[in-house]
Every structure is written in structure tokens, then in C-alpha cells.
Amino acid sequence: MIASANTDRQPLLFNAKPILNEIRHGLDRLLSGDDATVIDLQRIPFAVDDERYLRDALGDGEVNATINALGKSTVQETGVAGVWWVTHYDAAGSVLGKFIEVTIIPEVLKSQHQDIVRGLGKLSARLASDPPMTTAEE
Amino acid sequence: MAKPKTLAEHLECHDVSRRGFLKFCALTTSMMALPPAMVPTVARALEKARRPSVIWLSFQECTGCTESLTRSHSPTIENLILNYLSLDYHHTLQAASGDAAEQAREAAMAENHGKYLVAVDGSIPVKDGGVYSTIAGISNLEMLKHTVEGAAAVIAIGSCAAFGGLPHAHPNPTGAVPVQDLVLDKPVVNVSGCPPIPVVISGVLAHYLTFGRIPDLDGYGRPRSFFGTSIHDRCYRRPYYNKGLFAETFDDEGAKNGWCLFKLGCKGPTTYNACATVKWNQGTSFPIQAGHGCIGCSEPRFWDAGGFYQPLSAGIGGVGTLGGVAVVAGAAAGTAAAAFILGMTYRILQTYFLGRAKNLAEPRGSQWLHGMKTIWWRSFFHPGMTIRGYFTIISGYTFHLGFIITLLFFDQHIELFKSWTGLSWPALPPLVITVTAVLGIAALVAVLVDRFADPVRYLLSDYQDYLCWVLTVLPLVTGLLLVYKIWLPYTTLLVVHILSFEMLLVAIPFTKLSHVFTIFIARWYNGAIAGYKGVQS
Ligand code: SF4
Ligand code: SF4
């Protein structure tokens, strides 16, 4: 957790609490079998302490994943199961997008149908081009 | 390899996985300021999107806008978008020069006739035949006119191209004008800002790429998705503004506590842009977060709109620095208010000095108490009223209440009253105010129609009745147009709205509208007489 640079002042908050409430409603919906909720944090006005407040309130969870597709992305489950931080970076490490997803598993973590088809093709091609194997029995 | 046709194929050639494509779609959706729920729609559209040709013209400008775009904070994504667009001519970025460059432009135009986009940064000087800025011996004016002929749409990038910007500032020596003054027969998207926020530039390009059309625009031709709310509406210092906590200097306690910068000249309340949410430098911060007020760079004529450190309220009621006319309108508010107060005082004194015949009878009850009671209870419906017919009663109540509620409970009106008197009260939600204003207008129209339809009433009406009607309906109509940014530019509407109310104020004491005050005197008087006689009034 990032320590507050200036601890003697009141935290300056604007939208952290409304977002926590949106997450709460998102979890209710998730439990009743409805769609996932995705919150685009870059389209919400934040005061200086909002993000820290959100991170504190949600805490750290059990899953931490890194994706390498069109630059790096991190997917972290928060201390509240079903609530995920998804952050996309560019090659220089700058943040491109920051999302909170309320879902069982974020879409980007799943293997995608087209990629599986391509992977299968690659594997089959590889097997076809390999010289016949010598088995242990021979 | 054949030239890739759709964006999906383009990405596949670059070995981007489906997962990468999804990520690209999520970020592009965010870049277009669309809600995350739109990602699947964007993905479907992008899969089929075809490569648009873009011709980028740089006129009277400082290259800051191109600089902003190429340093934009999403290199991977924007590079992809930029690489994907076929940027066929950009004389700052292209390797070709001279005749070869101009030939590339002509070739791109011929090949994509009717389909290409023209992006323009910089204003166009038109004085003296446009000699003040030329490229390859062609004046900017000529090049623009020629290039947009076969364009699908034109994107004016930066405040210079959108509104004339710095070159257009007084005294405008080169006769600089914005693109929208010259291109009248093609859609023009204004991406204003000095410079514009990079994501906003690429967001508009991405929108065209994704959906094959330009985004929805506001009254100034700016994409609503980015320019739909003011900096002030989204400013995290707004709670301080609402509480009246202002920094008075750049280094006082207020400044250190992060209070509102309004008094230090912040133009956030009159500036529409996305800085407060998108922010600058990889989303790190924006001027207000760094402790400096907004200078209003995305609004027309911001260079000439008064000092950057002069509070907006330096004019009257927060409209003073919007422009010359607004200053006049604001100042006229003082005169109108004075005319209203003096006129009303005169009318009330006049009524008072008419005198009252002495009542020789024995008093049977209190005059004062009964007078006050009558003022109160005659404001409500009572069965004796039905003689006038329900139509008059209902429409009468509706337009009176509609007008009064809109006047007294709209938050911007309350802010204005507060700036004058220091008093404030809770506002009603904007939607409720819209309803009261619309009902007020509808009821006024209904009574007018009724007046024409009823022969007696029609014959009884004189010009003053119609004048009063117009003066009453105008502030409601102009206010609605203003709030919903319909028809005329915001500043013009603001001026018209203020003037309409000023006209009403001036007219009240001298027309039948003076009943706003005299009704209470008359009611009291009736009540008092009845009270004296000890009867019900
Ligand atoms: S006046 Fe400026 S600093 Fe104050 S709340 Fe509005 S935009 Fe923010
Ligand atoms: S904060 Fe205001 S002046 Fe600064 S870039 Fe944004 S709109 Fe322009």
C-alpha cells in the first residue's frame, strides 16, 4: 500500500465511496446470476486520495496474474472475492487503462476461442512436421 | 502479402492474439468515452472496420496539436490506430517533401474520393487573399477548399482550427478564421483545446474507424462524449465550491487544503472539456489538480475572454468574462434590477397615496390579522373559483407555479441569488426543473390559444396582454434552450436568456405584470375590509 505523503491532513475524496457502492450492487447482481459489472476508472473524476482509498477498502486477494498481449496487463483479485483490478500498460510501463471488474473471472484471463483454434493448428502442424518418434520399446 | 482489409486481419498479420484484440477493444471503448458494456459492440464493429485514408493539413499553427497526438499516452493502442489509418499526407510527419508530397495528397484524394477524412490543425488566414500562410506556393485557403471537396468529413484539431485560436485573437492581423467558417457543406468535428487532449483526438479517429461515422456533436460541433460536461461539473474540488471554501491566493491555507480555485480565475464553470476525468500526462494530473485554475482553452475566443486570473464573477453573477456581449448583458442586470426596484417602489407609493376612505362603522374584528389571512388563503383553490372554469384555474396555477419553481429552485439560479445576497436554499433536480419549465410554457401556450378562441376574452385583450405573455414565456424558452444547448451557441443563448429576464424585470412595474406585488396589497385590502366588518372575505 502506498503510504500517504502527508498524513496529517484529511484524505481528499470525491468518487471512491460511490464506486464502492456500485461494486456492492455489482456483487449483488453477480450473486443473482446477472451480468458482470465493469467500471472504467479513467472515466471517473478522482481526487488525489480516491484510488488509495479504494485500494485500502478492497484489499489484496488471492490471485495475481500477468498477461502479455499487446503490452503488459495485470489482473488482481481484491480482498473482496469477485472484485478484480484490471490494469493495462504500454511498452514503457505507462498505464493505458484501469478497470474494476465485478465478475467470476475477467474475460481477458480466459483463453479465447480463436486463439485456441490457432493453438491447436500450431500444435498439429508441429506434430506433423516432427520426424517419427523412437519409442522406448524399439 | 496482400494489403490487409479489415482491422481484425491487420492485427492478425501483426500476430496479435484474440486476447490482445479484446484488450485493444476495451481500451478503444474507453478512449471513445463509451461505457465498458459497449466493448462487444465495438469489437464486432472493429472486426469489420476498413482502413480510412486521412489527409492531415497543418495551417497557421504551432505543431503543438500534432505533438500532443504523437506523444499521446497510449502509444501501443494509438500507434495501432495511427498505423491502421492510412495517414496519406501530414507534412510534419511525412518523409516526402515538395512536389512528391503534394502528389501523394492528390493521389490519396483521387483514390478515396468521397471517403477520406481531412484533419486540420491551425487556423486559416483569409486577409489579403490568404497570403499570410502558404504551402508549396498554395495558400491555406485554396488548399483547404480543394482538399475537402471529396472528403467524407473534416476534423478540426485544436482551438485554432476549431475556433480560430491564438491567430484569431484581437487584433487578428492575418484575418484568421476557423475551418467551420469555410467548410459549410461537410460535417466538421471540432476537437478544441490548446492543445486538445491526445486521447480525445485519437478517440474521434477511433470513433470514425469503428462506426464509420462521426460522433454526436454539441452546439459548437464538439463530440459530446468528451465535451458534454464542464470541467466544473467533474471537478474534484467541486465539493469545496459548493461549501463556499475558496483559495484566495496561490499559497494560502485554502490553496494548501485543495479548496476551489474559482476566486483565482478558474474558468472551469464555463469550460467544456474532459480534463477533469481523462487528465494529462498518462492520466497523472490536470491543471486544477496541480493547483492552477482552468484557463478555458477549449472554448471559443478564450484568449480574448479576460485575464486568466480574473474570477468569472468579476462580471455580474458569473457571466462577466464570457465575452463582450455577456459583459454588457451582465452589467445591464444591475440597471434592470434598479429599474425594477425604483419602478415598484413608485407604484406601491402611488397606490398607498391614493388614500382610503375613512370607515365610520364600528370595527367588528381585526383588519391586520384578517388581511394577512386573506393573502394566505386566497393563494389556494376554493370552490368559489370554479365560476372562472377549471381551464383557467388549472392553466393559471400551472404557469404561475411552473415559472416560480423554475425561477427559484434551479441550481444555477440559486447560485446566482447566492452570489448577490449570500442566501441559498436547496435546489430541485434538473429534471424536475425541466418539467416545471415545460409545463409552464405549455400552460402559457394554452391560455394564449384560449384567449384567441374565446370571443369575449379576445375582444377584451389589448397589446399589453400579448406583450406580457411574450415577456413571461421568453425566459422559460430561452432557459430551456440554454440548458439543453439547443440551436444557438451557449454564450449567445446565455446573453439572450439574461436579456429576456431583464426585459421582464423592467416591464413588471409598468404593466399588468405588477400584480406580482400589488396582488398582495389588493388581497390584504380586501381582507382588511372584511375583517373590519367581521365577515368572511
Ligand atoms: S471553479 Fe474550478 S476549481 Fe472550483 S470547482 Fe469549479 S472547476 Fe473546480
Ligand atoms: S484544464 Fe482547462 S485550460 Fe487546462 S487544458 Fe483543460 S480545458 Fe484547457
Side-chain angles (χ1 to χ4, degrees), chain B residues 5-9 18 21 25 40-52 84 208-212:
Chain B
K5 279 225 161 72
T6 65
L7 181 65
E9 288 162 359
R18 181 70 190 179
F21 176 68
C25 294
T41 317
V42 170
R44 272 193 304 274
L46 275 176
E47 272 174 341
K48 288 184 237 123
R50 273 165 211 291
R51 193 172 193 215
Y84 184 68
Y208 188 81
L209 171 64
T210 312
F211 300 113

Side-chain angles (χ1 to χ4, degrees), chain B residues 155-508:
Chain B
I155 306 179
I157 292 173
S159 288
C160 295
F163 305 129
L166 183 61
H168 180 275
H170 182 75
N172 191 1
T174 64
V177 298
V179 173
Q180 61 185 355
D181 285 8
L182 299 171
V183 180
L184 304 174
D185 55 346
K186 304 272 167 189
V188 177
V189 184
N190 285 327
V191 182
S192 61
C194 189
I197 304 179
V199 186
V200 179
I201 309 179
S202 32
V204 171
L205 293 174
H207 195 284
Y208 188 81
L209 171 64
T210 312
F211 300 113
R213 57 180 168 77
I214 59 170
D216 284 346
L217 306 178
D218 72 0
Y220 283 138
R222 301 176 295 197
R224 275 184 204 275
S225 43
F226 296 104
F227 295 91
T229 50
S230 69
I231 301 285
H232 187 59
D233 285 340
R234 294 296 174 102
C235 177
Y236 75 89
R237 295 192 190 221
R238 180 65 180 266
Y240 293 118
Y241 173 93
N242 291 349
K243 283 192 211 129
L245 296 174
F246 300 105
E248 306 278 343
T249 62
F250 281 108
D251 57 356
D252 67 359
E253 261 320 288
K256 284 179 195 141
N257 291 332
W259 290 354
C260 169
L261 301 166
F262 183 84
K263 291 195 173 171
L264 293 171
C266 181
K267 307 289 182 283
T270 52
T271 306
Y272 289 78
N273 205 345
C275 306
T277 38
V278 175
K279 304 192 177 175
W280 287 83
N281 300 329
Q282 284 97 54
T284 308
S285 179
F286 73 117
I288 291 169
Q289 192 170 329
H292 193 289
C294 163
I295 61 171
C297 75
S298 56
E299 293 301 308
R301 295 172 296 284
F302 82 99
W303 292 107
D304 294 325
F308 291 162
Y309 300 100
Q310 194 184 358
L312 282 170
S313 56
I316 285 179
V319 295
T321 41
L322 275 180
V325 209
V327 175
V328 177
T335 320
F340 172 72
I341 292 169
L342 287 176
M344 255 358 270
T345 316
Y346 169 74
R347 286 298 300 265
I348 290 171
L349 287 177
Q350 198 187 28
T351 318
Y352 179 76
F353 284 117
L354 276 179
R356 224 176 123 184
K358 199 166 161 52
N359 196 333
L360 298 171
E362 275 288 298
R364 295 196 192 165
S366 152
Q367 291 190 41
W368 273 104
L369 198 71
H370 210 94
M372 296 317 269
K373 253 165 65 188
T374 308
I375 293 184
W376 175 248
W377 83 266
R378 280 213 188 162
S379 301
F380 300 98
F381 175 79
H382 57 96
M385 283 171 144
T386 48
I387 308 166
R388 299 186 199 171
Y390 281 106
F391 174 78
T392 314
I393 295 169
I394 293 170
S395 52
Y397 270 109
T398 311
F399 85 72
H400 277 94
L401 285 176
F403 192 95
I404 292 168
I405 295 174
T406 312
L407 174 67
L408 295 182
F409 294 98
F410 178 45
D411 60 355
Q412 296 190 22
H413 293 163
I414 296 176
E415 272 175 31
L416 199 63
F417 294 132
K418 193 178 167 198
S419 72
W420 287 338
T421 62
L423 300 173
S424 88
W425 49 89
L428 286 172
L431 197 65
V432 175
I433 294 298
T434 307
V435 172
T436 59
V438 170
L439 282 179
I441 296 172
L444 276 165
V445 171
V447 293
L448 185 70
V449 171
D450 181 57
R451 192 176 278 269
F452 278 112
D454 180 341
V456 179
R457 239 177 273 199
Y458 180 66
L459 285 173
L460 280 176
S461 307
D462 61 11
Y463 85 95
Q464 209 198 93
D465 294 303
Y466 300 113
L467 177 71
C468 292
W469 186 90
V470 171
L471 289 175
T472 312
V473 83
L474 266 184
L476 287 172
V477 172
T478 54
L480 266 184
L481 294 178
L482 177 65
V483 168
Y484 288 96
K485 294 195 222 125
I486 303 167
W487 187 34
L488 291 172
Y490 183 83
T491 323
T492 317
L493 277 175
L494 183 62
V495 171
V496 173
H497 181 59
I498 296 173
L499 284 178
S500 73
F501 189 70
E502 288 168 1
M503 272 162 22
L504 180 66
L505 268 190
V506 174
I508 286 177

